[in-house]
Structures are given as C-alpha cells and as structure tokens.
Amino acid sequence: MFREMRRKDRAMVEEETKMLLETAQVGILSTVSTDNTPYGVPMNFVYTNEVIYLHCALEGQRLDNIVNNDSICFTVVDAVELMPAAFATKYKSAVIFGKIIVVEDIEEKRKGLIDIVKKYSPDFYEAGLQYIDKAFEKIKVLKIEVSKMTGKARL
C-alpha cells in the first residue's frame, strides 16, 4: 500500500516530523465519501501523546465520510519559501495515515479541546476553558490514531 519515498535525501527523521506536527498551524484532513469521492478540508489540530486531535461541528461532510470509512490521510506543510529563480520551493511536510474516531469519552474530549486551546490561544487559557464549557455540547472532537508517518523537507 505504501510506496517508499522517492527522494530519500529529503526525508526527515521521526523526531523532526513530530516537531513539525507540534508547531504547524493547519493540516488537511482527507477522507473518502461512500461514492469514493475524495474530500480534503483544512483544519486546526494538535499533536499530543502520539495522536492528533481536531474539532468540528456536530454534522458535516467529514463526519459523514468517517462513519463509512475511518481511514484518513492528514497532511501538513509549513516553512514554505518560494525560490522562483530556481523553480523550486523550500518546505517541511508531514503525511500521516491512520484511523479517525469521534471521541466519545467526556474527559478525553475535554483534554483534546484544552490541548487545542493551549496550542492556539495560550495567552487566553482561562477564557478558553470558559469557551469550552459553553460550547462543549456543540463540538465534536476527532482523534487520529497514527499508523504511518512520513516527513520530508527541502531547506
């Protein structure tokens, strides 16, 4: 199923890939619908304890898709710098394959949301906790269990 990376000279070691996942701001969650139509959507996320947490509304295309097929691909690109004269681009990227679930456990859901607040709004932690409390029933938390991770960079 997985091909070897063609440009092995650009492969990042696992720790570099994990660091990218900890610092990147946006990732693309890719799912497949029941008619095999691919669907990719940019999302905020947090990588913690070897899993990725995301949040979303209570309904939508991504949720419809994962009910029928929980296999996903999640892609992150960061540190992008165009090099027009060289017809090239500097970048760091990670591609994640795994399974995605809707978090049903209340404590894990809260922890995922708190970790998202810590990443995106660290200076507003207390306000973030209040926001979580007010919006808790209107938010789904998704968890990606990583089965394969690759990182690649051109610096």
Side-chain angles (χ1 to χ4, degrees), residues 74-122:
F74 188 74
T75 306
V76 173
V77 181
D78 201 17
V80 175
E81 181 184 332
L82 298 178
M83 302 184 307
F87 305 101
T89 304
K90 291 182 180 180
Y91 64 91
K92 291 181 181 180
S93 66
V95 178
I96 308 302
F97 296 93
K99 300 288 184 184
I100 191 167
I101 62 166
V102 175
V103 175
E104 301 293 348
D105 179 79
I106 299 300
E107 291 306 313
E108 184 178 10
K109 178 179 176 180
R110 183 171 302 284
K111 182 197 172 311
L113 290 170
I114 289 170
D115 287 345
I116 290 169
V117 166
K118 286 178 181 177
K119 178 178 179 180
Y120 290 98
S121 301

Side-chain angles (χ1 to χ4, degrees), residues 9-149:
D9 59 314
R10 294 194 180 154
M12 296 190 322
V13 297
E14 186 173 318
E15 287 310 310
E16 291 174 305
T17 304
K18 289 179 178 181
M19 189 178 306
L20 172 61
L21 289 171
E22 290 169 1
T23 59
Q25 299 299 305
V26 176
I28 308 295
L29 175 65
S30 297
T31 60
V32 179
S33 69
T34 55
D35 69 355
N36 291 321
T37 303
Y39 178 73
V41 62
M43 297 185 73
N44 292 339
F45 70 98
V46 65
Y47 177 74
T48 182
N49 298 320
E50 308 292 321
V51 300
I52 296 170
Y53 288 105
L54 314 107
H55 65 89
C56 64
L58 297 178
E59 58 184 41
Q61 183 69 49
R62 81 197 89 190
L63 292 173
D64 292 347
N65 289 355
I66 67 174
V67 164
N68 293 297
N69 185 344
D70 64 354
S71 294
I72 59 87
C73 180
F74 188 74
T75 306
V76 173
V77 181
D78 201 17
V80 175
E81 181 184 332
L82 298 178
M83 302 184 307
F87 305 101
T89 304
K90 291 182 180 180
Y91 64 91
K92 291 181 181 180
S93 66
V95 178
I96 308 302
F97 296 93
K99 300 288 184 184
I100 191 167
I101 62 166
V102 175
V103 175
E104 301 293 348
D105 179 79
I106 299 300
E107 291 306 313
E108 184 178 10
K109 178 179 176 180
R110 183 171 302 284
K111 182 197 172 311
L113 290 170
I114 289 170
D115 287 345
I116 290 169
V117 166
K118 286 178 181 177
K119 178 178 179 180
Y120 290 98
S121 301
D123 295 336
F124 303 94
Y125 181 73
E126 291 302 321
L129 294 179
Q130 292 172 13
Y131 184 84
I132 288 170
D133 289 340
K134 286 196 311 194
F136 196 76
E137 297 302 321
K138 299 175 188 169
I139 299 172
K140 291 239 187 227
V141 171
L142 308 174
K143 178 170 75 171
I144 297 173
E145 297 171 340
V146 178
S147 59
K148 181 169 177 62
M149 172 189 313

